[in-house]
Amino acid sequence: MQRFWVIEEDSTPCVSVEEAACEQHFVRTVQRNSEGRYVVRLPLKEPVSTIRDNSSIALRRFHMIESRLQRNNDLRAEYQEFMSQYAALGHMQRVDHTTHSSPQYYLSHLAVIREESSTTKVRVVFDAACKSVTGKSLNDVLIVGAVIQDDLRTIILRTRINAILLIADIKQMYRQILVNEHDTPLQRILWRYSPDEYISTFELRTVTYGTASAPFLATLTLQQFAEDEQVDFSLGSKILKRDVYVDDLVTSGRTAEELLHCRCADEVDSNFANLLRIWIQY
């Protein structure tokens, strides 16, 4: 009976050998550049050389999406806007496609349309599950990593301890984190803005949605950020570690002033606090 209760009370998460190796790889390789951005390495469970060259498959898929864009002017405009922003923010950069100094992998890309969205209705997503001639994809050689955040139900139940909620999200969470330049050749894409142009090769410089390790890298980087800044921002660090699910923050407080202190380190704006109280009442 005693052994039963010991087992039941043991809340230590079960982590596989592979998941433990993934976290050790992160701790060993993560860096922070002069701008304060984190730079991570992709966690590989087997040599990337097992993928081989998949550029011909990516080229065939690119022609397919380009043909679709030519038939839909609105979709083409939004797709081009998305890619233009990606380049303008430095999240992808043009490279010489003849460079073969590192193993390479080409991500196919396609449009996902969300009619219900009030902001971006078209999102370009990248496919890291596309098999190469060896039957392997980038996702096949990446370690997924363990789940290191509390589940959503636990976070929501915990917030109900207090009456007032504070909800926020992290803008472009994955794209705030840079990928080490040694690994960006594994995130190559083909792109051009017009069929009259040559097809160029770009490398995605940030953690990319669609790669198997992206959720783990993003959430562990957030945890690392909370650890690094806990001396100067003890309250914010605690919230980041405890009350974030992927890129959504859901926390709570006893008073409006308490939550406003979480929101910013400046003096609380009494007018904003009153407005917050009114909003809560309704």
Side-chain angles (χ1 to χ4, degrees), residues 65 68-69 72-80 111 113 122:
I65 186 63
R68 180 187 175 191
L69 296 179
N72 188 326
N73 291 335
D74 292 338
L75 178 61
R76 182 173 71 249
E78 293 200 49
Y79 206 98
Q80 291 177 345
I113 302 172
V122 175

Side-chain angles (χ1 to χ4, degrees), residues 63-131:
H63 283 304
M64 292 171 62
I65 186 63
E66 186 177 54
S67 177
R68 180 187 175 191
L69 296 179
Q70 294 306 308
R71 297 192 301 269
N72 188 326
N73 291 335
D74 292 338
L75 178 61
R76 182 173 71 249
E78 293 200 49
Y79 206 98
Q80 291 177 345
E81 174 62 25
F82 185 99
M83 299 299 270
S84 295
Q85 183 196 58
Y86 223 97
L89 292 173
H91 296 168
M92 72 179 188
Q93 63 182 4
R94 193 189 307 265
V95 296
D96 182 358
H97 74 280
T98 61
T99 302
H100 295 286
S101 57
S102 303
Q104 305 166 52
Y105 182 83
Y106 284 80
L107 301 167
S108 302
H109 48 91
L110 66 155
V112 172
I113 302 172
R114 300 179 300 167
E115 295 292 349
E116 73 282 359
S117 175
S118 59
T119 54
T120 306
K121 293 188 181 298
V122 175
R123 171 179 291 182
V124 178
V125 298
F126 302 95
D127 182 10
C130 177
K131 306 291 186 182

Side-chain angles (χ1 to χ4, degrees), residues 44 46 122 228 244:
L44 301 171
E46 60 182 270
V122 175
D228 293 345
V244 176

